[in-house]
Amino acid sequence: MDRPGRLLLLSELRVRNAAYDVSLSWCLLTWKRRASSPVYRPFRPRFCVPLFHRRPLSGMSHSVPLSEIISVREEDEEEENGSGRKDDGSWKKIKDGDRLDGRLAFTVSYVERCQQHRWRCAEVTFTCPERALCRSWVSSIREQLASFSSRPRSLLVYINPYGGKRQGKRIYERKVAPLFAQAGISTQVIVTDYANHARDHLRTAAELSKFDGVVCVGGDGMFSEIIHGLVWRTQIECGVDPNCPDEALSPCSLRIGIIPAGSTDCICFATVGTNDPITSALHIIVGDSQPMDVCSVHHNNMFLRYSVSLLGYGFYGDVLTDSERKRWLGLARYDISGVKMFLTHHYYEGTVSYLPARGMIGTPRDAGRCRSGCVVCQHNGQIQSDRAEKYETEKASDCEDDGEWKTIRGKFLAINAASMSCACPRSPKGLSPAAHLADGTTDLILVRKCSRFNFLRHLLRHTNKDDQFDLGFVEVHRVVRFRFTPRYCQSDSDLELELLENGKRQIFSQICRDHPACGCAPAYSSWNCDGEILTHTAIDVR
């Protein structure tokens, strides 16, 4: 049995007229400059890009994991004849003295790590003494790349041309499509024509067996469409009733990739660490994957939506509802609505019942952050898997009688459930910095009624390093399920009766409800579910 570090090839090749010992093993491509190598011109790293920050080696030595090699190609005649076009869409010039001899050279494209979690596509070109050796290197590297089963070969791509700054199609064509083509990934591209186009297509018409994954080019709303189409279809095919809140969701067999092209791109930022299309494309190409929790939201045994990032009632629900009336303002509508809702300072009465996450490691106030290969996610995820069969067979009444449910009643400025950190460029730590991506829990954040000044303190802590939950009117619980019931009028007659009892004329009841700026606080808010407004306020989330 071959060892992982066993050499497959070892040759003396040249990089920019300098001799290098180049080796290929099962896991690494390494090239090291020979000490006695004659150099005919200064070594220029801007052409061969010898940077690999994770393994700084001495003696002009460079290593790249095979799992992070994007592609390998023999140099063609166009690049020999003076100029050629790079796969990222830009042009590079090859001087007469740099021309390559026939097909005696090959170029390796690989991932280069930059600052702030960004990735870039770097290249190094090796010149061989004979054509047979060049082909041997190319075929050996390609054979190793083909052995990575996690890499996608065919992708279904949905592009939202209207999201964010309406740059989705341009971003894909100029930055992402060339990289997919370079990596040998075939794609079927669908440009959506209307809201929920991608969701509807995934539910019914998409031939998913032909693809290794689904990619969305857009913002959080587009990602939500993909989730609702793919997760819904998976449940139907697995015989899971989406309208039953007590049934465990079946995981999707296809992975979902996201190319950021929206307004905030919270999901991409919280999972990848940056809102950069090239970085996301490279993660997709090398086959990186990250499990994610999905919350199902129900109302009276009726399915409403799935959520993967934020469920917000009160402040964040009001901001979304108000901003929808100002879409003509573009991205500025969120700032304007945010200021308006802060000054309005509405609070809402209701009852929150939750099932605490028991027997799990980690708390919402941990200093550590969730990263790929997170120990907390692995440990807690296994616990959740072991309990899945139990929860699937239990009835709601049985859960309520087991003594684990906790209930909180009060007046709240905001009720938020964060299934991930919800980090974004404006809030680098997010609403719940220690929230985990795949531990089967959500962080339930309750902001009780307080002064405007104190609420501002809470909001500002989303943008700095202070403990967001170290405030007397804020509490956080890590839960596996919760329910919310608002305290509001059940009918128009009840509303009019209350207004009359308060000495107000019945004729103004509808005006007060539709226009709370008159001074009458609204009885209920709306739920912000990953950027979409829910039609009901009383919900059950698991």
Side-chain angles (χ1 to χ4, degrees), residues 350-354 406-410 412 415 444 446 482-485:
T351 301
V352 179
S353 302
Y354 63 91
K406 307 294 183 182
T407 300
I408 299 175
R409 296 179 177 87
F412 305 98
I415 300 174
L444 182 62
L446 308 177
F482 76 92
R483 296 168 181 154
F484 175 73
T485 305

Side-chain angles (χ1 to χ4, degrees), residues 337-355:
S337 295
V339 172
K340 177 183 175 182
M341 291 302 105
F342 170 76
L343 295 176
T344 304
H345 201 60
H346 287 152
Y347 67 87
Y348 304 93
E349 295 185 63
T351 301
V352 179
S353 302
Y354 63 91
L355 191 63

Side-chain angles (χ1 to χ4, degrees), residues 44-50 95:
R44 293 173 289 183
R46 61 190 177 95
F47 285 98
C48 65
V49 196
K95 299 179 181 179

Side-chain angles (χ1 to χ4, degrees), residues 73-85 92 94-95 98-105 131 135:
R73 68 178 186 275
E74 291 184 78
E75 292 299 333
D76 55 29
E77 296 179 357
E78 288 184 21
E79 291 178 314
E80 298 168 22
N81 292 334
S83 66
R85 188 168 186 174
K92 66 177 181 179
I94 301 179
K95 299 179 181 179
D98 297 333
R99 291 178 184 172
L100 305 172
D101 257 346
R103 289 183 177 268
L104 302 181
R131 181 174 290 104
R135 291 177 177 173

